[in-house]
Amino acid sequence: MKKLFTDDCLSRISIDLKLFGQASLQVIYNEDRSQIAQVEHFPVETLRAERCNADGDIEAYYYSSDWTDVKNAKELKRIPCFGMSTADIEILYIKPYKPGFYYYSPVDYQGATQYIEMETEISNFHLNSLLNGMSPSLLMNMNSGIPDEETQREIEQKIYQKYTGTSNSGRIILAFNNGAEEQATIETVQLSDAHQQYQFLSSESGAKILIGHRVTSPLLLGIKGDGNGFSSNADELKNSSILFDNTVIRPFQDLILKAFDSILAYNEMSLKLYVKTLQPLEFVDLTNATTAEEVEEQTGQKLSLSSKEIDGKTAYDTK
């Protein structure tokens, strides 16, 4: 197995699976296709699925390093899916099942994407307000007559394109007029309780981003949380860490390990794969660990295991 997977393969597909909601592996066979010789990470953002066949199976993916520059689809490189051809190289696509999504899978933080964008725009607005002297919002009155609707739309569109948006906050508006009687008047529009509104939006977006990523406690990310019934921050951190590991991290791990199992099965290899945990030992729940192998799988440490008979049954104690 060590020869099949490169050192950074697992790390890269883990990042892709979290960031994009899916990942892909390049499966390389030996000359006679009797075994898989090498498995490498393949950038999932460079792949697009082929239309499925009559049985509903995706037979291949198309590759392009820059899909915005694709002009002729016939020039794209076609790479067959794992187990769907006799080619030397195939693509194993890893994605969780999501109802309503067939070719691709949405990210697990899909519900927080708008709040992520909101947080970006809030910081962008404040930065540009500072760079432009904290100027308030303005109301422009065009005093040179009322043009037809099409001309109004054109003027309005040009003004919005040039002066609106968070990157343009506080910019100076420069107007050219035929005379003083036709000048555009500018009126300042002060936003009442602006600091409270921005504080609410920032707090709301931050909270929704954590919820969207299913972070069970802000303490996991070093953010001070509010009191929620735990006797201490240590209790909250421990319980939140265990819950987050079981409900968020392990499903991602299982998805990757199942893909590895399918590759190993082609080479007639059967191994009990698990990901070595980064959890502190005091955070690991060993209630259901009854063998030395299970203890090692849960803790990532080779621990000794003593046993004794209780009511005719073997009880284990870890050391």
Side-chain angles (χ1 to χ4, degrees), residues 203-256:
S203 301
E204 182 73 4
S205 59
K208 290 299 192 294
I209 289 172
L210 292 179
I211 294 173
H213 286 87
R214 295 177 290 169
V215 176
T216 50
S217 171
L219 289 176
L220 292 175
L221 304 180
I223 303 173
K224 184 178 179 181
D226 299 328
N228 49 16
F230 287 98
S231 59
S232 67
N233 286 343
D235 292 336
E236 179 182 351
L237 185 59
K238 177 180 178 180
N239 288 279
S240 299
S241 180
I242 294 174
L243 180 62
F244 186 75
D245 183 68
N246 289 331
T247 60
V248 179
I249 297 177
R250 296 206 176 192
F252 281 111
Q253 294 177 348
D254 292 340
L255 197 62
I256 295 175

Side-chain angles (χ1 to χ4, degrees), residues 2 93 99 103 109 126 174 184 263:
K2 294 288 186 180
Y93 207 81
Y103 291 98
Y109 54 90
H126 287 308
L174 180 62
I263 293 173

